[in-house]
Amino acid sequence: MSADEPVKTTKTDWTTKVWDFLTSLKLVVFLLLILSALSIAGTIIQQNKPLQEYYRFYQPGTVALFNKLGLFDMYHSWWFLACLALLAMSITVCTMDRYRGIMAGLRKRNLILDEDLGNSLQDLTTIKYALPLDTVEKKMLELVGKGFSGKPVATTAEDSGRHYFFEKGKYSRLAFFLTHLSILIIFLGALVGSFFGYKGYVNIFEGEMISQLETRAGKIKNLNFQVKCNTFNAEFYPSGAPMDYRSDLSILQNGKEIIRKTIRVNDPLTFEGITFYQSSYGGQPDEVAIDVVNRDGSLKGTVTAPFGQKVDIPGVADKVAIADYQEHHHLPDGSEGGRALDVHVYPEKGEETEVWLLMDNPDYDKRRGGDYYLRVKDLKLKKYTGLQVNKDPGEILVWFGSVMLIAGIMIAFFMSHKKLWVSLRTDRKGRSELTIGGTANKNRDAFAREMEPMIQSLKEVS
Amino acid sequence: MTNSLLFGISTFVYFFAMVLYISYLAFRSDGLGKAATLSLVGGVVVETAAIGMRWYESYQMGIGRAPLTNMYESLAFFAWTIALIYLVLERKFKIRTVGAFVVPFPFIIMAYASLNPNDIQPLVPALQSNWLISHVVTCFVGYAAFAVSFGVSILYLFKARSEKLSPKSPGSFWGFLPSAAALDEIGYKTIAIGFPLLTIGIVTGAFWANVAWGTYWSWDPKETWSLIVWFIYAAYLHARITRGWRGKRAAILSIVGFSATIFCYLGVNLILSGLHSYGG
């Protein structure tokens, strides 16, 4: 024993321990269960809501704690991602660990059906014929060839006759790589997407165009083209449920229209790797005419107000500004108020008041009291379409990985590597003797059932 | 409408089939067993007609869409897939005794479906997609396979206990059931059918979400729960294939897996909120 040997052993022990830990089934099962448990927590605690909403459900102390732990955005918290990273490492190490074994399984070994091999096979059958060996060989190749197409490996051994090795589904052993590497590829795709892609949102008014947008992370992205919304249309069923949202979009570059397409939900537009999805819509008051009405019903005057600008109310010292518009306004009592205009009234002295004017209930503002009330006379809406924007260069990897995963699972469950050995020899009495036996790396019962008719027809050869 | 009437009849026939399967288990009479299978086939035939009729009627109403888009329709389809998949597996694996543990599902589900509004509504824009059918069908056939595995696993637990208590009793009630080893194998094979389908269901769902909303995975409760179900069955398969987990532990995992499946399907809609429409 040399002096440095113990040191070497501890080193090996340490790496072996890590290796064993990463390849252990316990780790995988534990990770799958812990990821499930964490995911469940994430479906119970609503994710990514504005912080103030959580105060309605939890104590302030709990909100602070949960926020610190990352429980409100837990699928992106360091500990959730760490579990996924550990899973990825485990998959990688397991793949490396299994590599040699799987490649060895592909190699042709045991080409000869000898006694040892024969003993290890489940249903070894021996059939004797009163036919010449060559005839039996020809018949055998024909019958077995029906199930195992392709040429067998034939070996002639001096003492024990002729041997044939058939196999099929050899490459089904590679399903392990397909299923496990596919998960890594999907992870990689997700990473590429989060580093090199972005998601954003943009509103485009009819007839207008944009060349930049704000991402979810709050950054401004400049596009090297313009997106123009020619028209937007929403259609509804008689029940009021939405039927179709359509935006007629154009992509322009250097003032020239390059693409024109009407997008709908489920039918987005992609240009230079950036995809625009129909997501929402709305309207903004463009020009509004408001009647100023005395309490007795007589008209005091009419004011025309562009969106967002303070305008004098005729005959009064107050000012008014249009602040918002809603298609479906909810009244304070929770009932549906329909189309409504939000105006701010600025009195000469004192605080501004927010007033909702209902389009379908023109005298609604009368209940506010005061010398006069407001009534919408005419409203021109500027419609806009709301587009979800997505750039994700990792997407293709995700789909590639997904297809690989499905293919791998299918092969793993429904295909197996089947091997069949046949040996032919002449026995002491001069009869031809055929011995046949096979095995599969999976689902041996099904393989035995598959073999039965083949063996039966071999027995019937005469 | 005709489709409602047919769905009603199929519910009744499923009830009848359930009673027959349970009687078959209780009285061990071959005639009862055949009658049970036959009545379940009848239930499936009637419900197939009901689904077809509903599809046809939606076209007559000028809506024209596959009947897979609200709670009522998805429940009815779920009952139909469980009954159909069970019949296929009963034939393949000769497991008529399992029927008493699986066939109550179609009946209970149809009875529950009848509590939901069943008028034919047109599709909202997000559901107007060719991915609808492939996504829903693969998911539900997968769920149905898990349901059969669940029934087989429960039966396994009973049978394994009886084999332990009284190893040799061929004439007894327990001797009438398939062997514990056979039940264990069938429990696994049904999961081997369900798992690839669930995987395809999740992938088609992700692809569709990406076409409709521009994101293939958003940790929506339904997506998350489908992933949990996937994890549980993945754990089952790994434990079984690499460590030879069989018998009781495998059966319990299969039962846990199906419980999670039911929560993914119903619990998420009833308790949590999310993107899937049939919650209402």
Side-chain angles (χ1 to χ4, degrees), chain A residues 286-335:
Chain A
D286 196 10
E287 264 205 4
V288 187
I290 300 173
D291 283 341
V292 184
V293 193
N294 291 312
R295 292 205 72 78
D296 60 13
S298 62
L299 201 63
K300 204 193 256 309
T302 300
V303 55
T304 309
F307 186 74
Q309 278 179 32
K310 270 193 215 174
V311 188
D312 289 322
I313 299 177
V316 201
D318 302 350
K319 286 176 193 293
V320 67
I322 313 296
D324 195 10
Y325 167 80
Q326 286 181 355
E327 283 280 326
H328 299 281
H329 177 65
H330 291 281
L331 298 176
D333 63 5
S335 64

Side-chain angles (χ1 to χ4, degrees), chain A residues 31-44:
Chain A
L31 278 174
L32 291 178
L33 293 181
I34 199 87
L35 281 168
S36 303
L38 292 175
S39 302
I40 291 172
T43 61
I44 295 168

Side-chain angles (χ1 to χ4, degrees), chain A residues 23-25 28-29 32-33 35-36 39-40 43-44 46 75-76 80 84 87 98 180 183 186 189-190 199 216 237 239 241-245 264-268 277-278 388 390 392 394-395 398-399 402 405-406 409-410 413-414 443 449, chain B residues 92 121-129 131 185 188-189 191-193 195-196 199-200 203 206-216 219-222 224-225 227-228 230-232 234-235 237-239 241-243 245 253 263 272-273:
Chain A
T23 53
S24 73
L25 176 75
V28 175
V29 171
L32 291 178
L33 293 181
L35 281 168
S36 303
S39 302
I40 291 172
T43 61
I44 295 168
Q46 290 215 344
Y75 300 112
H76 303 100
F80 194 82
L84 288 178
L87 185 66
R98 292 280 295 274
H180 290 79
I183 306 276
I186 291 171
K199 290 187 196 311
R216 262 191 219 169
Y237 295 111
S239 67
M243 179 162 83
D244 198 10
Y245 303 130
R264 308 167 62 222
V265 183
N266 280 312
D267 188 14
Y277 301 83
Q278 181 65 58
Q388 178 81 38
N390 181 23
D392 188 351
E395 209 182 282
V398 172
W399 304 132
S402 300
L405 175 65
I406 292 168
I409 291 175
M410 295 291 216
F413 284 136
F414 304 116
N443 209 353
R449 278 197 298 278
Chain B
K92 189 169 154 68
Q121 293 287 348
L123 291 183
V124 297
L127 292 180
Q128 296 166 12
S129 166
W131 288 99
E185 190 62 25
Y188 162 68
K189 280 184 176 156
I191 288 176
I193 293 167
F195 190 70
T199 311
I200 299 174
V203 169
F207 197 90
W208 183 9
N210 194 45
V211 173
W213 299 308
T215 169
Y216 53 82
W219 295 102
D220 155 75
K222 182 70 94 185
T224 309
W225 270 94
L227 189 66
I228 291 165
W230 196 84
F231 279 159
I232 294 172
L237 293 165
H238 279 87
I241 294 166
T242 66
R243 287 296 181 276
W245 268 40
L253 256 186
F263 190 83
L272 309 169
S273 60

Side-chain angles (χ1 to χ4, degrees), chain B:
Chain B
M1 272 184 293
T2 324
N3 80 73
S4 314
L5 179 70
L6 287 171
F7 277 118
I9 296 172
S10 71
T11 311
F12 179 74
V13 179
Y14 285 145
F15 172 75
F16 194 62
M18 175 182 82
V19 171
L20 283 171
Y21 271 105
I22 293 171
S23 324
Y24 168 64
L25 198 60
F27 301 111
R28 287 174 264 162
S29 133
D30 229 28
L32 272 176
K34 276 180 190 146
T37 304
L38 216 63
S39 60
L40 186 59
V41 170
V44 170
V45 169
V46 175
E47 208 194 336
T48 309
I51 293 171
M53 200 62 211
R54 192 177 172 87
W55 206 331
Y56 173 72
E57 279 170 18
S58 82
Y59 272 95
Q60 283 196 318
M61 288 167 71
I63 294 169
R65 56 163 183 77
L68 300 169
T69 58
N70 59 27
M71 195 60 172
Y72 177 81
E73 291 171 352
S74 89
L75 283 166
F77 184 67
F78 190 32
W80 183 81
T81 32
I82 292 180
L84 187 68
I85 292 291
Y86 169 73
L87 280 172
V88 171
L89 296 176
E90 178 188 294
R91 198 180 158 81
K92 189 169 154 68
F93 297 124
K94 319 252 177 314
I95 45 162
R96 193 174 274 157
T97 42
V98 175
F101 294 88
V102 176
V103 179
F105 281 118
F107 166 65
I108 293 167
I109 292 168
M110 285 307 291
Y112 177 60
S114 68
L115 303 175
N116 287 276
N118 76 340
D119 46 333
I120 300 176
Q121 293 287 348
L123 291 183
V124 297
L127 292 180
Q128 296 166 12
S129 166
N130 292 331
W131 288 99
L132 173 71
I133 293 179
S134 52
H135 173 59
V136 174
V137 168
T138 47
C139 284
F140 276 82
V141 178
Y143 290 179
F146 294 149
V148 175
S149 178
F150 169 83
V152 171
S153 298
I154 288 191
L155 194 60
Y156 170 86
L157 291 179
F158 283 123
K159 174 77 184 187
R161 212 170 121 254
S162 82
E163 273 184 7
K164 223 182 197 170
L165 293 176
S166 51
K168 278 181 188 161
S169 50
S172 79
F173 167 70
W174 296 111
F176 178 62
L177 300 177
S179 72
L183 289 171
D184 179 60
E185 190 62 25
I186 295 163
Y188 162 68
K189 280 184 176 156
T190 44
I191 288 176
I193 293 167
F195 190 70
L197 287 162
L198 176 68
T199 311
I200 299 174
I202 292 174
V203 169
T204 49
F207 197 90
W208 183 9
N210 194 45
V211 173
W213 299 308
T215 169
Y216 53 82
W217 196 264
S218 52
W219 295 102
D220 155 75
K222 182 70 94 185
E223 289 172 352
T224 309
W225 270 94
S226 71
L227 189 66
I228 291 165
V229 172
W230 196 84
F231 279 159
I232 294 172
Y233 287 109
Y236 171 99
L237 293 165
H238 279 87
R240 189 174 182 105
I241 294 166
T242 66
R243 287 296 181 276
W245 268 40
R246 266 149 212 272
K248 196 173 166 186
R249 289 187 292 185
I252 288 172
L253 256 186
S254 161
I255 291 169
V256 170
F258 185 64
S259 312
T261 307
I262 286 293
F263 190 83
C264 176
Y265 171 40
L266 294 175
V268 170
N269 293 97
L270 300 177
I271 299 167
L272 309 169
S273 60
L275 300 168
H276 280 71
S277 69
Y278 44 84

Side-chain angles (χ1 to χ4, degrees), chain A residues 140-141 144 148 150 152 164-168 418-420 422:
Chain A
M140 183 275 293
L141 286 174
V144 178
F148 288 73
Y164 305 87
F165 171 70
F166 298 81
E167 67 178 335
K168 70 173 175 184
K418 294 162 187 167
K419 295 178 186 172
L420 186 70
V422 179

